[in-house]
Amino acid sequence: MRTILGKRGEPLQELMNFCVVVPVFLAMGFSLSYGGGVTGYKTFYTLFPQINTTTTTGAIKNHNSLIQGTTVSSLNLGAALGCLTTMYLGNKLGRRRTVMLGAIIALIGTILQCSADYLAQLIISRMVLGAGLGLMSSTVPVWQSETSKVHKRGHHVIIDGICIAAGIALSSWLTFGFSKADTTSSWNWRLPCMTTGILAIVVMIFTFSFPESPRWLALQGRYDEAREVIALVDDVEPHSEHTEFVLASITSANELSAESASFSSLFKYGKEKMLYRLLLAAATQMFSQMSGSALITYYSSQLFSTIGLSKDLSKILGATDLTFKLICCAIPFFLIERAGRRRLLMIAASGMSTCMFCLAICGSQVTEDNLIPAYIAIVFAFIFVAFYPIGFLGVNFLYSQEVITTRYRAPASGISTAVHWLSAFVVALTTPIGFTSLGWKFYLVWGSVALSIIPSVYFFYPETTGLSVEEIDQVFIDSPGVLATVGLAEQRRKEKALEQEVIVGHIEEHNQAKKAEEQHEQALVESRV
């Protein structure tokens, strides 16, 4: 039987996660946090005085805050543009070649950023780096979801969120450590900047070692190759009943969507309700950033500074908070297939909104003579990063892929992931200004957004746990309307669970009958002896 790197089935998917998925999302998390982490370096703001908010005051600080936010958030703008290009390239190049292109562009962006001596080069380099990250981050979850088994799909894509958190934590500690370097040379921020390029090289080395998406191959009419890949990733024979059933399901779903195959159909309601599904995917990604998480990701140390803590203590607590966030990523990994997507999203939203409102209350009570509310706020900042990964650090990427049919999954992923990056762009751009102008009131904005997630998910988000991507597709097609989709999905899940129970029951009855027959034969043999 065919193997890749000596692996097939689940071991192959785990190896793909380690060699491609992990470096892609480590790079994403690292880059998200790195820009905000070095803006306070003396060697950085003396080289780029236009973004100096450390030693400036008044109108100059306000102006520099805008420039700093623009510089840091240029990465997100580039990433959004990279995501949007997958609307065209995703189905044209396939999953592997799109990821490879993104890795090459990310490497070029890293080189430009590490060698930047002028603000214009720094901004351009971050946009180029972002474009590469956008291509990879919008394509890899699609690739994963299309090559994973139903009961493992959640676990595989949740790894994306874990790696993002790991990259953020790595960046926060590296930038804190290098900030202590006693030097007037810029190597202390250029050296850690190389991390993203190294990870991009790892992706370039391993991407073509793994199989292309069987669903994309079937979409291109390459059915024999699709059959081989299905057999490889599910560890079965190429012409087994299982392989033929999966391939037939994929082909049937592609044929059903072929009637409305034009790109404009993605933005129409129609029979497949693509506009509704696209809005679900985009809203999920928007919520993941606009609920306050990006605030902590980009400016964790500034967050603690606004509640009255010293600069060094703020940096240490910021790095510790982001490391705690990484640890909490284990929660959805173990719960995703048990609790389901909807429940995790609502639990996360409830906790995040509560914490943001509490941060606002604490911030409003802090004075030079009363730092007790600041210390209480630290607790809520840590609680926030415990709730956030439950629903919005991996689950958002997973759900955005599940609700889109194969034909539109790549372009829709480009749009929804672009929304993710654009939302992060807004947060990164406005946070320096918000902290300067609003102070503790800034948290009320994010608390309100997080609170709005709960009714949105309850009324409009159908549960996808336990259903194949083709079965999810059929739920949307069969649903008589938007508000009926949630109920229909739950009904289909119950019907499937009941069918599986019946099958298991038949298997157990067959095994028991066979065992009784063997015991009877054994008794006859013994009686004759």
Side-chain angles (χ1 to χ4, degrees):
M1 296 177 70
R2 180 191 172 197
T3 63
I4 292 181
L5 300 176
K7 307 287 185 181
R8 59 183 290 116
E10 189 62 25
L12 176 63
Q13 292 175 329
E14 291 173 355
L15 186 63
M16 175 181 165
N17 284 337
F18 181 77
C19 295
V20 178
V21 177
V22 169
V24 164
F25 286 96
L26 274 177
M28 178 178 171
F30 186 91
S31 300
L32 282 170
S33 184
Y34 173 78
V38 298
T39 53
Y41 282 27
K42 186 176 182 180
T43 56
F44 192 81
Y45 65 70
T46 52
L47 184 61
F48 307 110
Q50 304 96 319
I51 63 173
N52 180 14
T53 59
T54 304
T55 60
T56 54
T57 57
I60 296 176
K61 182 175 182 178
N62 290 338
H63 177 265
N64 287 2
S65 294
L66 178 61
I67 304 300
Q68 182 186 110
T70 303
T71 303
V72 172
S73 62
S74 60
L75 175 92
N76 306 87
L77 189 60
L81 294 174
C83 291
L84 292 175
T85 61
T86 60
M87 294 166 60
Y88 173 74
L89 294 177
N91 282 344
K92 195 172 186 67
L93 297 180
R95 313 318 183 211
R96 295 190 303 177
R97 284 186 288 180
T98 305
V99 171
M100 176 63 76
L101 177 62
I104 294 171
I105 294 174
L107 178 60
I108 294 171
T110 302
I111 294 171
L112 291 173
Q113 184 174 227
C114 288
S115 60
D117 282 319
Y118 303 97
L119 184 62
Q121 182 183 345
L122 179 65
I123 294 174
I124 292 172
S125 69
R126 287 183 64 77
M127 289 190 70
V128 174
L129 172 59
L133 292 172
L135 280 167
M136 293 190 291
S137 64
S138 61
T139 304
V140 167
V142 176
W143 191 12
Q144 285 178 283
S145 66
E146 292 181 341
T147 55
S148 297
K149 296 180 179 179
V150 173
H151 68 286
K152 289 291 186 179
R153 191 172 62 231
H155 291 139
H156 289 160
V157 182
I158 285 295
I159 291 173
D160 302 353
I162 294 175
C163 293
I164 292 173
I168 291 170
L170 175 64
S171 173
S172 62
W173 284 113
L174 275 180
T175 53
F176 172 69
F178 277 96
S179 71
K180 296 301 180 182
D182 186 15
T183 180
T184 57
S185 175
S186 60
W187 66 265
N188 66 332
W189 64 265
R190 297 185 193 273
L191 192 60
C193 178
M194 296 169 58
T195 304
T196 309
I198 295 170
L199 293 169
I201 292 173
V202 174
V203 175
M204 292 165 61
I205 292 171
F206 287 104
T207 293
F208 281 98
S209 299
F210 298 97
E212 181 57 89
S213 160
R215 287 169 172 83
W216 180 80
L217 291 170
L219 191 64
Q220 303 301 310
R222 295 157 62 177
Y223 299 111
D224 290 338
E225 294 176 66
R227 184 181 289 105
E228 288 289 334
V229 175
I230 292 169
L232 184 66
V233 299
D234 286 353
D235 196 13
V236 295
E237 293 290 342
H239 294 283
S240 68
E241 184 178 341
H242 171 81
T243 304
E244 295 300 335
F245 173 77
V246 173
L247 183 58
S249 299
I250 294 170
T251 304
S252 175
N254 289 342
E255 289 174 351
L256 283 173
S257 62
E259 300 174 4
S260 56
S262 64
F263 177 74
S264 61
S265 298
L266 182 57
F267 303 95
K268 296 178 181 178
Y269 185 76
K271 178 183 177 181
E272 294 182 285
K273 304 175 183 62
M274 289 310 304
L275 179 59
Y276 167 38
R277 296 156 77 167
L278 179 62
L279 289 174
L280 285 178
T284 305
Q285 295 288 20
M286 189 259 311
F287 285 143
S288 73
Q289 296 300 300
M290 298 296 286
S291 55
S293 62
L295 181 75
I296 296 176
T297 299
Y298 292 113
Y299 301 103
S300 56
S301 60
Q302 287 92 323
L303 183 152
F304 291 109
S305 296
T306 60
I307 56 177
L309 303 182
S310 67
K311 182 179 178 181
D312 276 355
L313 181 58
S314 295
K315 283 183 175 292
I316 293 172
L317 283 174
T320 305
D321 197 22
L322 294 173
T323 304
F324 180 62
K325 181 180 182 179
L326 170 61
I327 296 171
C328 293
C329 285
I331 299 173
F333 184 83
F334 292 108
L335 293 181
I336 185 65
E337 298 299 346
R338 295 181 181 180
R341 286 52 159 164
R342 277 167 49 88
R343 189 176 299 172
L344 293 184
L345 289 171
M346 289 190 285
I347 290 173
S350 301
M352 291 190 298
S353 60
T354 301
C355 290
M356 276 295 157
F357 288 132
C358 289
L359 280 172
I361 294 171
C362 292
S364 68
Q365 300 302 309
V366 171
T367 63
E368 292 183 2
D369 299 326
N370 182 23
L371 289 180
I372 293 177
Y375 298 128
I376 297 174
I378 294 172
V379 176
F380 284 110
F382 274 80
I383 295 174
F384 179 93
V385 299
F387 275 102
Y388 174 70
I390 292 175
F392 291 97
L393 200 56
V395 178
N396 55 317
F397 285 103
L398 172 63
Y399 195 85
S400 298
Q401 311 312 318
E402 291 180 325
V403 296
I404 304 295
T405 193
T406 299
R407 186 174 296 276
Y408 298 107
R409 192 168 291 125
S413 177
I415 294 171
S416 63
T417 312
V419 170
H420 174 97
W421 287 101
L422 284 172
S423 300
F425 168 78
V426 171
V427 177
L429 178 64
T430 59
T431 294
I433 304 170
F435 275 139
T436 302
S437 305
L438 299 176
W440 62 267
K441 296 177 183 177
F442 202 44
Y443 300 117
L444 296 176
V445 177
W446 315 119
S448 300
V449 174
L451 187 63
S452 70
I453 296 172
I454 301 171
S456 300
V457 172
Y458 183 82
F459 289 108
F460 301 111
Y461 281 58
E463 183 58 74
T464 58
T465 305
L467 300 176
S468 70
V469 289
E470 287 75 30
E471 289 168 333
I472 295 167
D473 190 44
Q474 198 61 45
V475 166
F476 283 98
I477 293 173
D478 294 343
S479 173
V482 171
L483 293 177
T485 309
V486 171
L488 181 60
E490 193 60 32
Q491 178 185 333
R492 294 287 170 86
R493 292 179 65 245
K494 290 179 180 178
E495 289 173 355
K496 185 174 182 179
L498 184 61
E499 289 175 2
Q500 290 174 340
E501 287 179 6
V502 171
I503 292 172
V504 170
H506 286 324
I507 292 173
E508 289 179 352
E509 287 177 5
H510 174 74
N511 291 338
Q512 289 175 357
K514 187 176 180 180
K515 185 177 180 180
E517 184 179 346
E518 290 174 351
Q519 290 175 343
H520 178 66
E521 291 178 354
Q522 182 65 30
L524 289 175
V525 171
E526 290 176 354
S527 65
R528 290 170 184 169
V529 173

